[in-house]
């Protein structure tokens, strides 16, 4: 059972328009959005960030691979399940999404992004010049490096909401993996 209200009829008036947009985008309103709807400011911020990053230069597939890596590291079953589904919809295979959970990929560029994202999470952003140089060597420019950080930050927020408030998973479950 969730520790916060999940009834969208009880959400503040300022949350209703974003909730309508989310309903249209997903065909239903996922529980995470219902929880965040308790704060119109948080919901608008989160929904806007998803939209902005979805239109970014990294592409949806890599964004979802970063999301599952961060979710697995943070032990967030909700985001792991949701982003596994979204990653497959963005063109990733089940195998690619499973590998991404532990920061792995057969694609060197994706692997570099996942390593960096997981270091940001594990080391609380204490990265160094060599870490950024590794991203550049894999073909990422400053725009993409900052976008990777933005994906990590957004996913930290959503992971923390789901874990802290015990949000029920309403996507097909995906098993957490031990970190690599």
């Amino acid at each position: 059972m969730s520790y916060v209200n999940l009834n969208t009829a009880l959400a503040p008036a300022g949350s209703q328009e974003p909730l309508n947009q989310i309903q249209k985008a997903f065909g239903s309103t996922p529980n995470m959005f219902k929880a965040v709807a308790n704060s119109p400011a948080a919901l608008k911020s989160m929904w806007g960030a998803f939209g902005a990053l979805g239109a970014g230069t990294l592409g949806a597939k890599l964004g979802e691979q970063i999301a599952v890596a961060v979710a697995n590291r943070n032990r967030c079953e909700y985001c792991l399940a949701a982003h596994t589904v979204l990653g497959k919809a963005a063109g990733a295979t089940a195998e690619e999404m499973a590998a991404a959970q532990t920061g792995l990929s057969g694609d060197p560029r994706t692997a570099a992004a996942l390593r960096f994202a997981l270091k940001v999470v594990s080391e609380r952003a204490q990265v160094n010049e060599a870490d950024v140089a590794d991203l550049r060597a894999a073909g990422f420019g400053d725009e993409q490096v900052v976008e990777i950080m933005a994906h990590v930050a957004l996913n930290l927020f959503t992971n923390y909401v789901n874990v802290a408030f015990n949000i029920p998973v309403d996507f097909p479950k995906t098993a957490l993996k031990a970190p690599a």
Side-chain angles (χ1 to χ4, degrees):
M1 168 175 285
S2 175
Y3 306 144
V4 295
N5 169 54
L6 297 181
N7 183 341
T8 57
L10 300 177
S15 292
Q16 295 305 318
E17 180 53 35
L19 284 169
N20 289 335
Q21 294 170 7
I22 292 161
Q23 169 73 31
K24 288 177 187 169
F26 284 92
S28 65
T29 305
N31 285 336
M32 178 187 70
F33 291 102
K34 293 176 183 178
V36 176
N38 286 288
S39 166
L43 182 62
K44 290 173 186 174
S45 173
M46 183 178 72
W47 185 237
F50 276 125
L53 291 174
T57 62
L58 292 181
K61 179 180 171 181
L62 180 53
E64 298 302 340
Q65 289 171 299
I66 292 168
V68 298
V70 173
N72 194 76
R73 181 62 51 95
N74 287 322
R75 315 299 290 163
C76 179
E77 293 181 50
Y78 190 98
C79 285
L80 180 58
H83 290 288
T84 296
V85 168
L86 294 170
K88 291 175 187 174
T93 65
E95 294 76 19
E96 287 173 318
M97 294 308 290
Q101 281 183 247
T102 55
L104 301 175
S105 175
D107 173 59
R109 186 172 187 272
T110 300
L114 296 174
R115 272 192 312 275
F116 182 80
L118 288 175
K119 183 167 186 184
V120 168
V121 173
S122 296
E123 303 298 322
R124 298 182 182 187
Q126 298 298 313
V127 297
N128 58 44
E129 188 176 344
D131 296 317
V132 176
D134 286 346
L135 284 177
R136 288 195 177 103
F140 293 103
D142 286 347
E143 181 177 5
Q144 291 80 32
V145 173
V146 173
E147 280 185 32
I148 292 168
M149 290 293 292
H151 276 278
V152 171
L154 174 59
N155 283 285
L156 286 174
F157 173 68
T158 61
N159 290 180
Y160 289 0
V161 163
N162 292 308
V163 172
F165 299 135
N166 196 36
I167 305 304
V169 178
D170 50 0
F171 288 88
K173 292 195 177 192
T174 300
L176 291 165
K177 293 184 175 185

